[in-house]
Amino acid sequence: GVSAATLLLHQSGDAGGGTPGGTATTPATGTGTATTGPTPSPTVPRTPATPSPGTGSRTAPSGYRTAHDPAGFSLAVPEGFTRSSRGERVFYLSPGQTFRLGVKVTGPQPGGPRGVLERSAAAGPENNPGYHDGRVTPTTHAGHRAAFWEFTWTGFSAAEGPRHTFDLCWEENGRLYDVWVSAPVGKVREAREYFDVAVDTFAAGG
């Protein structure tokens, strides 16, 4: 059979700031183990949960570490996640890519964060097999204008199965930041925690 990593090399990414046809990446080899609890209900959390006000706590909670990324930002990622990158996209991936946390940093784009995510949503069926229930909602993040995108899709393979993605895009100090987390639909609560921690602890400049 074809591995999930190989599939990802030839498939479009599941989120990431208005780049239809963008490519995901093979993860770095990691030896850590992702912590998992009981499998939660596949019920999707309410949308959107407004990110915490202010500039983020910047402190990694228990079970996380602060990643000072060479791309020029820092954020808290779960222990055991490994870094990989492809083009403008940086990934922190759990063993087996069950959870995929992505970050993309670019200059300002037409339409701002909402325009970026609406274009990504319009290309959802092309880039994400079985794309459905997608919605983009304007919001704010740390006082900056932002947009939140959430959707479900069938995954890149039958073995991978249906997945759900959370994506927040915002403008800050002349840059456009896009942070997303993708996970199996049965693990959306855990994925939402990873997502919330990532955006709440995110700091530009590393």
Side-chain angles (χ1 to χ4, degrees), residues 36-201:
T36 58
T39 302
S41 163
T43 302
V44 177
R46 61 188 179 84
T47 299
T50 303
S52 299
T55 56
S57 68
R58 309 289 188 258
T59 301
S62 177
Y64 292 76
R65 64 181 176 87
T66 298
H68 296 278
D69 198 275
F73 59 84
S74 65
L75 77 170
V77 300
E79 295 284 358
F81 278 41
T82 55
R83 183 188 187 276
S84 188
S85 65
R86 192 174 189 85
E88 296 175 314
R89 298 181 178 195
V90 173
F91 297 91
Y92 286 90
L93 305 164
S94 70
Q97 298 190 9
T98 301
F99 298 94
R100 301 197 281 265
L101 191 165
V103 180
K104 182 179 177 182
V105 184
T106 63
Q109 302 293 317
R114 184 175 183 178
V116 165
L117 293 191
E118 285 181 343
R119 288 190 292 275
S120 292
E126 175 185 352
N127 294 332
N128 301 279
Y131 176 90
H132 65 280
D133 294 336
R135 53 195 180 275
V136 175
T137 308
T139 185
T140 59
H141 173 63
H144 306 286
R145 66 171 177 160
F148 179 84
W149 179 28
E150 185 175 0
F151 62 92
T152 304
W153 53 298
T154 56
F156 291 135
S157 68
E160 182 175 61
R163 296 181 68 83
H164 195 79
T165 299
F166 303 102
D167 188 332
L168 182 73
C169 183
W170 74 94
E171 284 185 345
E172 181 177 349
N173 297 327
R175 304 294 287 169
L176 192 78
Y177 296 92
D178 195 352
V179 177
W180 68 94
V181 171
S182 168
V185 295
K187 295 183 179 293
V188 290
R189 291 179 183 170
E190 194 172 352
R192 185 64 197 235
E193 176 189 315
Y194 295 162
F195 175 78
D196 286 343
V197 169
V199 297
D200 288 350
T201 60

